[in-house]
Amino acid sequence: MSSTTPTPSSPPPPAVSLTERRKAETRMEIARAAAGLFVRQGLRATRAEDIAQAAGIAPRTFYRYFASKEEAIGPLYAIGAQRWVAAVRAAPAEVPLPQVLEDAVRHTLTPGLGVSAASWDWVRTLIRLAEANPALRRVWAEACRASERSLAEALAERLTAAQAPYEADNVAARTRLCFTAAVASAAVRTAMESWAAGDGPAEGPRGPAELAVTNLAALRDFAWT
């Protein structure tokens, strides 16, 4: 009687557990509490203990999630970028990349679509605080850098689908891909920072969405792919 050794199949991708989801929800609850306090009473007057109390958790629990009060705002800095990258991923493969990026920006930065209209005053204040505070500026910079990395991954997925096989391991191709993501990310980041520095509305030609689209439109001759 012969025996064979079964070939193990590839395991399915791990599902996000209830515990992981709860941790993510707690992180976002803390971030919202921190944002509310930063906007109402300022960064300097806010302690980590104040944020913990506002979030309904113990101070020791706060420090399980964040090393400092400045880091607590990181999830809110990141969420807009995550929405933008998700919109890029969701775009039909046949849509040209410049149009994909512009459509994703409008979807993410138009008040009432990506972020509620009432939240944009908070967005402005949080970006201004990052400009004024070195520790918070590092958190903002890391969120922008993480967005850039995620965008590079999303662009690689689009290219893989359009150009099979895409030479993802080719150094020159990878460098070009990262540069493309950096250019697009900078176009959006500078639009957000420029808008936040002024007092104009979040909608209209001087709002963040249209400023970002203008920046991207100026790059239409850039060899995106």
Side-chain angles (χ1 to χ4, degrees):
M1 177 175 162
S2 63
S3 63
T4 59
T5 302
T7 303
S9 58
S10 299
V16 177
S17 70
L18 185 61
T19 300
E20 290 169 335
R21 284 200 299 270
R22 182 56 190 154
K23 285 181 178 179
E25 290 167 1
T26 300
R27 283 176 61 84
M28 189 56 66
E29 289 167 5
I30 296 170
R32 291 193 182 104
L37 291 172
F38 291 170
V39 168
R40 289 193 297 271
Q41 64 188 36
L43 179 64
R44 184 173 296 179
T46 301
R47 304 172 303 161
E49 291 78 7
D50 300 327
I51 299 171
Q53 183 178 15
I57 60 174
R60 66 178 179 276
T61 303
F62 173 91
Y63 285 111
R64 287 182 194 147
Y65 287 89
F66 302 103
S68 68
K69 64 181 183 181
E70 291 86 3
E71 287 187 13
I73 210 69
L76 285 182
Y77 281 151
I79 194 167
Q82 291 166 359
R83 289 193 184 109
W84 182 45
V85 173
V88 170
R89 283 196 167 101
E94 67 271 13
V95 178
L97 184 55
Q99 189 63 50
V100 167
L101 295 171
E102 291 181 22
D103 290 347
V105 161
R106 285 198 174 95
H107 174 77
T108 306
L109 301 184
T110 298
L113 294 180
V115 178
S116 68
S119 297
W120 279 96
D121 287 341
W122 282 33
V123 173
R124 191 197 306 270
T125 299
L126 294 175
I127 294 177
R128 284 180 173 178
L129 286 173
E131 181 62 28
N133 181 273
L136 204 56
R137 195 181 312 140
R138 285 193 292 273
V139 178
W140 168 248
E142 176 51 36
C144 293
R145 183 72 184 92
S147 168
E148 184 182 312
R149 290 192 294 266
S150 295
L151 181 61
E153 293 170 2
L155 296 181
E157 292 168 9
R158 289 185 65 84
L159 289 174
T160 300
Q163 304 172 16
Y166 172 64
E167 295 181 359
D169 294 329
N170 181 282
V171 173
R174 183 66 186 170
T175 299
R176 185 68 181 178
L177 187 69
C178 292
F179 181 62
T180 299
V183 170
S185 297
V188 176
R189 176 183 54 78
T190 54
M192 291 289 293
E193 292 173 346
S194 297
W195 167 78
D199 296 312
E203 296 183 272
R206 308 310 297 169
E210 291 307 316
L211 290 173
V213 168
T214 298
N215 284 353
L216 289 168
L219 297 167
R220 280 179 181 160
D221 291 335
F222 178 77
W224 291 106
T225 57

